Amino acid sequence: MNEKKEDASKGIGVTKDKIEVQEDLGKRIGTKVVHAGESINPFTRGITTNIDFSTTFAYDIADQWADVFYHGKPGFAYSRHANPTRSVFEKKIAILENGEAGIGFSSGMAAISTVFSTYLKPSDEIIVTDRCYPGTRHLLNQYFKEWGFIVHFVDATDIENIKAKITNNTKLIHMECPANPTLSLCDIAEIAKLAKEIQAKFVFDNTFATPINQNPIDLGVNIVVHSVTKYLSGHSDVLGGATVSSADERAEIMNTAVYFGGVMQPFDAWLTIRGIKTLELRVNRHTENSQAIAEFLEDHPKIREVYYPGLISHPQHQLAKKQMRGFGGMVSFCTGKSDKDGVDFINNLKIIKRATSLGSTSSLIQASGSMLYLEFTEEEKRSIGINPGFVRFSPGIEDKDDIIEDIDQALSKI
Ligand SMILES: Cc1ncc(COP(=O)(O)O)c(C=O)c1O
């Protein structure tokens, strides 16, 4: 894997272009989501981006093709390496995350596994928040550990727990926040300073907050990863992932991506470009709904605990105010006395859907008694804050009063 890193600047079909800063297309996020990365089609004058399904691209002269495929000249030769529609998405997400360059992947897990594979070799150590997405935890426990990587899961709400695991061999720190399941936070800027001191890559999963509410690169993170499946595409009809980083890091990660092969498909890129145009509107609505729902739950006699960074009662509310522009669209809570109460509650819901995932236009809910964390032992669940009757809720963009009424009628039945 070291060889791969040295080879990065010579990657086949991998260019090192930075995104162009499009000052003329607006500086504010609500304008950028609409226009960033896109331009008027010079042939048709169409204002929307076309879907280019071509897997291969032809040139008048053989050397022109070789310049693109072998010698890093901007352009398209084969779609696993670069595709015109994916490229537009990559520019858009890079601009929104204030990075130099992006990559579109076939899923969030493809993005995360490709980044880890790019920067780690067996016997390297990685420090990971113990509240990471369970799929990331599984990837590290089931595969990377078996291949000889040393993985430390820590409670990252306290930076001292991270410091305690640092060795000369620490090569990567992976964090996410607000994090599953209790929407806990880590201090991104402080961890970024630490990562810089020890020259480790700081990778951050910004899926929950989205670039509307938080820009980790501005706080010192090296590589942002996303599950595009969630808020970015936003309508539960795309499985996708993304990275945003410096142009050099993009070339390194792309070199791995080209051979692991999990890149984003053109139709998914197009749906995501379209979805992102309403990202600010949707995320603001998700955030507004979540705040109202969290406040309603906090006052409800059948609710024991509510976790939402926008509540003053959240233990890290001040940190949330420091590093987030809005408190996000996820609310967790515990109802009744047992896991059965949580399951009975969600079974009584009418509008809110019992389904996994998050960041959809539709409200989605899961209870730990039946649909969530079934692979964890009771001890593991308690260690990350999952208490009896735990429910994870991703409010959609429906009218908040309808969502609250649905919750209220379901709670009245338990
Ligand atoms: C925070 C977070 N990161 C990564 C992933 C993985 O994304 P995907 O399902 O697109 O592979 C998920 C999926 O739920 C997630 O919630």
Side-chain angles (χ1 to χ4, degrees):
M1 289 198 187
N2 267 349
E3 276 169 31
K4 233 180 344 180
K5 269 192 254 174
E6 282 154 24
D7 192 36
S9 58
K10 307 187 235 128
I12 291 176
V14 174
T15 62
K16 281 176 87 176
D17 296 336
K18 292 182 192 175
I19 45 164
E20 291 155 35
V21 180
Q22 296 175 294
E23 295 284 354
D24 52 336
L25 294 182
K27 293 184 184 64
R28 290 166 191 85
I29 194 91
T31 313
K32 284 186 191 173
V33 288
V34 178
H35 298 294
E38 297 188 72
S39 46
I40 292 171
N41 183 315
F43 305 109
T44 67
R45 308 305 297 164
I47 68 160
T48 61
T49 294
N50 288 355
I51 314 178
D52 197 326
F53 285 115
S54 269
T55 53
T56 191
F57 301 82
Y59 289 80
D60 293 339
I61 296 163
D63 279 355
Q64 291 173 337
W65 184 93
D67 281 346
V68 173
F69 193 75
Y70 284 110
H71 308 309
K73 191 166 177 205
F76 303 99
Y78 188 57
S79 272
R80 180 154 44 79
H81 299 237
N83 167 277
T85 315
R86 193 169 82 229
S87 260
V88 171
F89 161 69
E90 291 173 346
K91 283 188 195 143
K92 204 172 192 75
I93 188 64
I95 293 168
L96 298 182
E97 281 292 12
N98 298 334
E100 285 181 352
I103 305 175
F105 286 89
S106 56
S107 68
M109 287 312 299
I112 293 166
S113 55
T114 304
V115 169
F116 290 170
S117 305
T118 302
Y119 292 107
L120 294 168
K121 61 180 190 317
S123 87
D124 282 349
E125 300 193 26
I126 164 169
I127 301 175
V128 186
T129 167
D130 62 3
R131 283 115 218 248
C132 65
Y133 166 61
T136 306
R137 192 182 175 109
H138 191 81
L139 171 78
L140 292 166
N141 277 334
Q142 291 304 116
Y143 298 97
F144 278 75
K145 269 190 188 171
E146 294 224 338
W147 297 332
F149 299 77
I150 297 159
V151 186
H152 303 284
F153 290 101
V154 298
D155 173 357
T157 56
D158 183 352
I159 196 167
E160 295 306 318
N161 295 331
I162 300 177
K163 287 184 185 161
K165 293 294 178 196
I166 288 173
T167 71
N168 290 339
N169 230 8
T170 306
K171 297 289 157 51
L172 195 147
I173 297 179
H174 178 79
M175 294 287 139
E176 65 182 70
C177 77
N180 270 316
T182 55
L183 289 318
S184 62
L185 307 184
C186 56
D187 192 323
I188 306 173
E190 287 303 309
I191 300 170
K193 274 190 223 151
L194 190 63
K196 201 169 178 190
E197 262 166 50
I198 62 166
Q199 294 181 339
K201 286 278 176 216
F202 187 10
V203 180
F204 191 91
D205 186 331
N206 203 30
T207 301
F208 273 33
T210 82
I212 303 301
N213 281 332
Q214 180 170 275
N215 282 123
I217 287 177
D218 293 352
L219 301 170
V221 162
N222 301 111
I223 300 159
V224 163
V225 292
H226 274 286
S227 169
V228 166
T229 318
K230 311 297 173 350
Y231 295 98
L232 291 180
S233 61
H235 297 70
S236 297
D237 52 12
V238 173
L239 198 65
T243 57
V244 178
S245 61
S246 69
D248 284 346
E249 285 160 337
R250 184 199 188 272
E252 290 167 351
I253 301 164
M254 195 62 215
N255 251 3
T256 315
V258 158
Y259 298 105
F260 278 33
V263 292
M264 183 179 267
Q265 297 304 302
F267 189 52
D268 291 335
W270 182 82
L271 280 170
T272 307
I273 292 164
R274 181 183 159 112
I276 287 179
K277 288 182 195 287
T278 55
L279 185 68
E280 195 211 23
L281 292 174
R282 286 186 289 106
V283 169
N284 286 347
R285 173 80 162 206
H286 287 293
T287 304
E288 196 188 303
N289 282 358
S290 299
Q291 183 77 37
I293 292 159
E295 286 170 11
F296 164 79
L297 291 169
E298 215 176 23
D299 289 339
H300 199 287
K302 289 196 177 163
I303 301 294
R304 287 198 329 275
E305 293 155 48
V306 185
Y307 308 100
Y308 184 66
L311 291 178
I312 295 166
S313 60
H314 189 283
Q316 293 164 302
H317 179 62
Q318 290 309 322
L319 178 58
K321 277 177 38 182
K322 191 175 95 178
Q323 62 192 23
M324 300 182 80
R325 283 183 288 274
F327 302 114
M330 294 297 293
V331 183
S332 294
F333 51 97
C334 294
T335 180
K337 296 192 179 70
S338 64
D339 278 347
K340 183 178 174 307
D341 289 332
V343 176
D344 287 347
F345 159 68
I346 67 163
N347 280 342
N348 280 312
L349 292 164
K350 292 179 178 160
I351 299 170
I352 301 166
K353 293 189 167 45
R354 288 161 290 278
T356 192
S357 204
L358 57 119
S360 173
T361 45
S362 302
S363 288
L364 306 175
I365 205 157
Q366 289 175 279
S368 67
S370 166
M371 295 175 69
L372 199 61
Y373 298 103
L374 296 191
E375 70 276 35
F376 282 51
T377 63
E378 287 302 311
E379 198 187 350
E380 279 172 336
K381 284 201 234 176
R382 301 295 169 262
S383 77
I384 57 168
I386 302 171
N387 292 325
F390 184 88
V391 173
R392 191 187 81 167
F393 184 31
S394 168
I397 59 166
E398 301 98 335
D399 189 302
K400 62 178 179 301
D401 292 336
D402 281 328
I403 306 178
I404 289 173
E405 279 169 27
D406 196 18
I407 294 173
D408 202 26
Q409 66 78 24
L411 283 174
S412 72
K413 294 186 180 138
I414 60 163

